[in-house]
């Protein structure tokens, strides 16, 4: 058995920004894919499945020609350990052909988080309006995060950055993932929230002058990272 993790980088696209402002290139979050390879033994002839790797060992069952069994131990000294409905046992290597089957499994939570980021990015360039709750017509920072998470993930949040800071569990910057919330403040009081994109970036309804933009997460010093997703 072999397990390995690989990461595929993709391009979300190039976001159109406000007139006179250079375009912003935003890369997708890393998509984690687990690749597992399983070894099988396909029987070339009928053979006894034995309790031990020994011709004189007790026969547990019979493996018929053409049947396929999962290999649980690598071939050694002319024997293969396989898994059968009657239990695990050994067959002679010469009686079977080994076949590798590879499967890929995408981390669905990563895909969900990227979907949230993609959804949020479509509003870049939109207006900041204090008290606004819809990025299509104008929205403030907490209105933006609550709108995105409600529509992209079905998560309900208060329309207040201070309240949102208490509606999930705190995580460290090192553990922050795309879709988490980043909070900023002054003199111990939280006054702004952004959506973390991963790769050290956030998307947020910033100010009336800039509107909804993408910036470095450290454009101000974050005071808290919160996870509201599973």
């Amino acid at each position: 058995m072999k397990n390995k993790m690989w990461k595929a980088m993709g391009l979300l696209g190039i976001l159109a920004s406000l007139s006179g402002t250079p375009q912003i290139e935003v890369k997708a979050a890393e998509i984690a894919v687990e690749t597992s390879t399983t070894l099988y033994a396909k029987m070339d002839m009928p053979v006894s499945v034995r309790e031990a790797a020994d011709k004189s060992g007790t026969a547990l069952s019979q493996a018929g020609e053409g049947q396929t069994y999962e290999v649980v131990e690598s071939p050694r000294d002319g024997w293969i350990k396989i898994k059968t409905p009657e239990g695990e046992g050994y067959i002679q290597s010469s009686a079977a052909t080994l076949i590798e089957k590879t499967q890929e499994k995408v981390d669905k939570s990563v895909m969900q988080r990227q979907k949230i980021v993609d959804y949020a990015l479509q509003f870049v360039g939109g207006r900041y309006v204090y008290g606004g709750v819809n990025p299509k017509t104008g929205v403030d920072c907490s209105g933006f995060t609550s709108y995105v998470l409600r529509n992209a993930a079905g998560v309900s949040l208060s329309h207040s950055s201070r309240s949102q800071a208490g509606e999930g569990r705190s995580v460290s910057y090192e553990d922050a993932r795309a879709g988490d919330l980043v909070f900023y403040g002054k003199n111990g009081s939280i006054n702004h929230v952004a959506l973390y994109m991963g790769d050290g970036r956030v998307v947020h309804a910033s100010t009336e002058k800039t509107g909804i933009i993408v910036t470095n997460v450290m454009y101000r010093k974050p005071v808290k990272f919160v996870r509201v997703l599973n």
Side-chain angles (χ1 to χ4, degrees):
M1 307 278 202
K2 297 181 292 182
N3 287 290
K4 63 181 179 178
M5 294 293 295
W6 63 273
K7 294 182 177 179
M9 294 297 294
L11 185 65
L12 281 178
I14 298 177
L15 304 174
S17 56
L18 297 175
S19 177
T21 304
Q23 291 181 327
I24 303 171
E25 183 179 301
V26 182
K27 291 184 178 180
E30 295 180 340
I31 304 299
V33 180
E34 180 178 337
T35 303
S36 62
T37 302
T38 305
L39 192 62
Y40 292 89
K42 184 175 181 180
M43 306 310 302
D44 297 325
M45 62 184 73
V47 68
S48 294
V49 181
R50 300 190 180 276
E51 185 177 21
D54 191 323
K55 289 182 181 180
S56 60
T58 302
L60 300 175
S61 61
Q62 291 292 314
E65 182 178 352
Q67 292 182 316
T68 303
Y69 301 91
E70 182 179 344
V71 175
V72 295
E73 284 184 10
S74 299
R76 184 175 58 183
D77 300 329
W79 292 87
I80 306 170
K81 190 174 185 180
I82 62 172
K83 183 187 294 184
T84 75
E86 292 76 21
E88 296 180 356
Y90 294 84
I91 59 170
Q92 291 180 273
S93 302
S94 58
T97 299
L98 297 180
I99 302 170
E100 281 190 352
K101 292 185 179 180
T102 301
Q103 291 183 321
E104 292 181 353
K105 182 180 180 182
V106 177
D107 185 339
K108 292 183 179 179
S109 68
V110 175
M111 295 184 70
Q112 180 202 26
R113 287 172 175 275
Q114 190 56 49
K115 178 182 175 182
I116 292 167
V117 172
D118 290 345
Y119 184 80
L121 289 174
Q122 70 178 302
F123 301 114
V124 169
R127 296 171 58 219
Y128 176 99
V129 175
Y130 180 75
V133 295
N134 190 331
K136 296 176 182 178
T137 56
V139 69
D140 61 16
C141 66
S142 59
F144 178 68
T145 52
S146 62
Y147 183 93
V148 168
L149 285 164
R150 181 175 67 253
N151 287 280
V155 176
S156 296
L157 296 173
S158 302
H159 185 193
S160 161
S161 58
R162 189 177 303 176
S163 296
Q164 287 182 12
E167 294 177 356
R169 63 182 180 88
S170 296
V171 295
S172 66
Y173 177 31
E174 292 73 21
D175 291 332
R177 301 177 64 190
D180 289 342
L181 298 177
V182 187
F183 294 89
Y184 303 87
K186 188 176 181 180
N187 299 324
S189 179
I190 289 172
N191 58 23
H192 190 65
V193 59
L195 183 76
Y196 190 57
M197 295 171 51
D199 197 30
R201 286 185 163 190
V202 291
V203 56
H204 55 133
S206 182
T207 66
E208 290 184 356
K209 181 178 179 180
T210 60
I212 301 171
I213 57 174
V214 171
T215 59
N216 188 293
V217 68
M218 293 298 176
Y219 87 103
R220 288 171 61 188
K221 185 177 180 180
V223 297
K224 192 175 185 180
F225 290 82
V226 169
R227 179 160 299 158
V228 295
L229 301 170
N230 293 329

